[in-house]
Amino acid sequence: MSSEMSSTKNFEGRWGHLYKLWNNIVNQDSLPQIDRWLSQEFAKNSKYGSKDRRWYSEGIFAAIRYGYFALFAEEYSKNIKKNSSLEMKDFLSYFKERYSQDVNIIKAFSTINTESFFLWIRFRYFSAKEVPDNTSFKIPEDLYTEEKKIYNSLINSLENNNNLESKMIFYSVPLYYYEHFNNRFNYSNWNAEKQNILFQSLESRPPMWIRLNNPSETENVLNELRQEGYKASIHQPGIIMLQEVKGGVFALKSFRNGLFEIQDLASQQIGQNIQVKNGQFVWDSCAGGGGKTQQIASYLNNKGVIYASDIREYKLEELKKRAKKSGFFNIRCIKWEGNTLPKFAKEIENKNGFDWVLVDAPCSSSGTWRRNPDSKYRITQNSIEELTKLQLNILQNASLGVRETGYLVYSTCSWIYEENEKIIEKFLKQNTNFIFKDQKMLGSPFENSDTMFVGILQRTY
């Protein structure tokens, strides 16, 4: 028996349990956050070893990543058997109308025969640009021959159709995002190459990115990573990319000593646009876990002050601990719910506001689909409209903290135009005391990372 067939056979017993895990997920009232759900599931049962956790995680994330494609393939298979002359453009119209809402998609996931669903997942899994080295997911050549023919016919039809809708199906993106992709490609003038890079990136997680609190420690941290078996490289001083990630990063001595933080490259690029000078005052108004807060603090060299606020107080407590570990003593934490300005210390009043205010607004998280593919099923057009109202409101309220000649920086982890450039446009129309300085998309398709946006405004009077 070949080693490949042996490997496949050794994993046959796991498929039944993978199906059970999947059904537990899709039969909940709402789709859970997959990575968190899996962590809780694994923690409940000691029978999961490290190899088990990796295998089941890979299977569940493949199902989420390619689930929309599998749904399309299942529907296509049923219809092509009834009508062998079925036209792809006609079937696309039917499918788009039937599954126009996220709730319809998740419900459909729970009604498809699970073995059939995962069959389409496995076919698609090995059609990725970079074919995964996972023999246990392969389907033996002598099985499912009819389904393989249908799969190949489907792929050929999508390729021949060669339009945006066909690409979205192949890369498993719900068709109700069509207008948003169209708007982004047109506004940013992304050519076919850039579009393909963006879509192809959705087939895999981005690498892990490390930001050093002190760039002079880059070589030391890199050496420790390599000694521990990590495949790592320097992107630029202070930024390291891990191409192959294994467990245990948080156990490294350099991490425990506060030398680095895990922070996606695009997120770091947002922070790089806040070009603070020693002694300046900064407000990170939607700080979350505080990745950008600490990044900005590192630029200040403890000479100047940065306030971090968030609606979730537990996040601020976590930030305090991380800041202490990293040796930052100029970070002040204060709760803010996004409405009237919080009561800052007298030092802010004396300066008539902040030199820099960052609004890293809550968003659709469309730019993080590589890392969290489940999030693409949670957003609808209605929720995007609600988000844009919230984003503009937070930006408006936070802008009151900017001093004259100070800067207002707006960012999201989304590529959707309405959440980004459109928000900047609306804000400037309502606030003539601010002027436009710059705006740009960051990360994928330009870098191997998430996709994010940053816009920079300045208060003139």
Side-chain angles (χ1 to χ4, degrees):
M1 181 183 291
S2 71
S3 60
E4 181 178 301
M5 288 298 293
S6 176
S7 175
T8 302
K9 188 173 181 61
N10 288 340
F11 282 87
E12 284 178 356
R14 288 182 173 176
W15 285 101
H17 190 65
L18 178 65
Y19 299 163
K20 183 179 178 181
L21 288 174
W22 175 250
N23 286 321
N24 286 344
I25 290 171
V26 296
N27 281 294
Q28 296 192 37
D29 293 336
S30 60
L31 186 67
Q33 186 175 322
I34 298 301
D35 55 353
R36 186 177 299 170
W37 187 90
L38 283 172
S39 294
Q40 292 171 347
E41 179 68 22
F42 295 152
K44 286 189 297 186
N45 199 326
S46 60
K47 73 179 181 182
Y48 294 109
S50 60
K51 290 183 179 179
D52 295 319
R53 291 194 295 270
R54 281 195 298 271
W55 193 88
Y56 288 122
S57 293
E58 183 71 7
I60 293 298
F61 269 93
I64 285 292
R65 198 175 298 280
Y66 297 124
Y68 188 72
F69 172 84
L71 175 60
F72 186 87
E74 180 72 5
E75 291 278 348
Y76 180 82
S77 174
K78 291 177 182 176
N79 282 269
I80 200 72
K81 289 174 182 176
K82 297 176 184 175
N83 178 11
S84 60
S85 59
L86 180 67
E87 290 284 339
M88 177 56 71
K89 64 178 181 180
D90 296 331
F91 183 70
L92 273 167
S93 298
Y94 153 78
F95 186 82
K96 184 177 183 178
E97 183 176 352
R98 181 169 184 182
Y99 297 105
S100 59
Q101 298 294 331
D102 60 324
V103 64
N104 297 339
I105 296 169
I106 303 304
K107 185 177 180 181
F109 285 171
S110 67
T111 58
I112 299 177
N113 176 275
T114 311
E115 184 176 354
S116 179
F117 177 81
F118 272 90
L119 182 64
W120 302 119
I121 296 294
R122 292 165 77 179
F123 283 140
R124 178 61 185 85
Y125 183 81
F126 286 104
S127 292
K129 184 172 185 286
E130 296 183 11
V131 178
D133 182 21
N134 189 346
T135 57
S136 67
F137 275 33
K138 284 189 175 178
I139 298 168
E141 291 294 328
D142 59 336
L143 297 180
Y144 304 109
T145 53
E146 183 182 359
E147 287 82 357
K148 284 178 185 176
K149 289 179 182 178
I150 293 174
Y151 175 80
N152 290 331
S153 169
L154 168 57
I155 297 303
N156 288 334
S157 296
L158 290 173
E159 288 177 348
N160 292 334
N161 214 36
N162 192 29
N163 57 23
L164 179 55
E165 287 185 337
S166 296
K167 282 186 179 180
M168 291 175 68
I169 292 296
F170 182 74
Y171 290 104
S172 198
V173 179
L175 290 174
Y176 51 76
Y177 287 102
Y178 177 89
E179 290 300 330
H180 296 300
F181 275 114
N182 209 33
N183 288 343
R184 171 52 58 205
F185 295 157
N186 289 331
Y187 188 90
S188 294
N189 198 27
W190 287 352
N191 59 22
E193 181 185 9
K194 287 286 187 292
Q195 294 176 32
N196 287 336
I197 291 172
L198 182 70
F199 279 124
Q200 287 165 2
S201 73
L202 298 179
E203 296 181 321
S204 62
R205 286 179 64 88
M208 179 180 285
W209 290 93
I210 283 175
R211 178 187 56 77
L212 278 78
N213 289 317
N214 185 345
S216 67
E217 296 283 354
T218 302
E219 288 290 344
N220 292 334
V221 172
L222 181 67
N223 289 337
E224 183 185 8
L225 287 165
R226 287 176 173 171
Q227 287 170 8
E228 293 297 324
Y230 292 91
K231 186 178 179 182
S233 59
I234 298 174
H235 181 72
Q236 66 184 64
I239 301 178
I240 294 176
M241 179 176 72
L242 298 185
Q243 292 97 326
E244 294 180 7
V245 179
K246 59 179 184 176
V249 173
F250 301 117
L252 295 175
K253 182 179 178 181
S254 53
F255 179 80
R256 289 185 282 109
N257 289 341
L259 297 187
F260 71 82
E261 293 285 335
I262 306 301
Q263 186 178 354
D264 185 77
L265 179 62
S267 175
Q268 294 185 50
Q269 290 174 334
I270 290 172
Q272 290 170 356
N273 280 274
I274 301 171
Q275 299 175 1
V276 293
K277 299 175 182 176
N278 287 350
Q280 288 192 323
F281 283 51
V282 184
W283 178 29
D284 186 356
S285 63
C286 304
K292 297 180 190 70
T293 305
Q294 292 198 84
Q295 182 182 0
I296 298 165
S298 72
Y299 299 155
L300 288 170
N301 299 308
N302 279 321
K303 298 173 183 176
V305 174
I306 177 165
Y307 279 77
S309 59
D310 200 88
I311 194 171
R312 299 157 296 183
E313 288 190 272
Y314 74 90
K315 286 284 187 183
L316 298 177
E317 291 302 318
E318 292 173 7
L319 173 54
K320 289 176 185 177
K321 295 174 183 176
R322 291 169 64 193
K324 183 178 180 181
K325 182 184 70 174
S326 300
F328 297 128
F329 307 107
N330 56 341
I331 295 176
R332 321 266 198 268
C333 293
I334 184 169
K335 185 180 179 182
W336 186 49
E337 297 185 351
N339 299 313
T340 56
L341 291 181
K343 189 170 179 58
F344 296 112
K346 193 73 174 177
E347 59 188 351
I348 305 304
E349 183 181 336
N350 292 340
K351 280 184 65 78
N352 297 313
F354 291 91
D355 299 289
W356 294 84
V357 171
L358 170 62
V359 179
D360 190 28
C363 67
S364 65
S365 300
S366 59
T368 68
W369 285 354
R370 295 182 67 185
R371 216 177 291 279
N372 302 300
D374 46 305
S375 62
K376 65 187 171 186
Y377 302 115
R378 291 200 185 88
I379 298 297
T380 64
Q381 186 56 40
N382 288 338
S383 56
I384 289 176
E385 290 172 2
E386 290 302 313
L387 276 170
T388 56
K389 291 176 185 176
L390 176 64
Q391 290 158 352
L392 185 59
N393 184 60
I394 292 175
L395 184 62
Q396 178 65 55
N397 293 335
S399 72
L400 301 176
V402 182
R403 64 177 301 189
E404 193 172 315
T405 73
Y407 294 89
L408 178 62
V409 179
Y410 174 76
S411 65
T412 71
C413 55
S414 170
W415 49 261
I416 293 176
Y417 165 77
E418 287 79 4
E419 296 185 85
N420 297 319
E421 294 92 344
K422 192 68 176 177
I423 295 293
I424 296 289
E425 179 185 328
K426 288 179 179 178
F427 177 83
L428 288 173
K429 282 183 179 178
Q430 298 172 10
N431 298 271
T432 56
N433 58 330
F434 281 85
I435 60 172
F436 174 83
K437 300 297 288 185
D438 194 15
Q439 63 185 13
K440 63 193 97 170
M441 296 303 303
L442 304 170
S444 180
F446 310 103
E447 303 273 8
N448 189 6
S449 68
D450 290 335
T451 303
M452 300 191 185
F453 170 84
V454 66
I456 305 164
L457 311 174
Q458 185 177 25
R459 181 182 166 188
T460 55
Y461 64 88

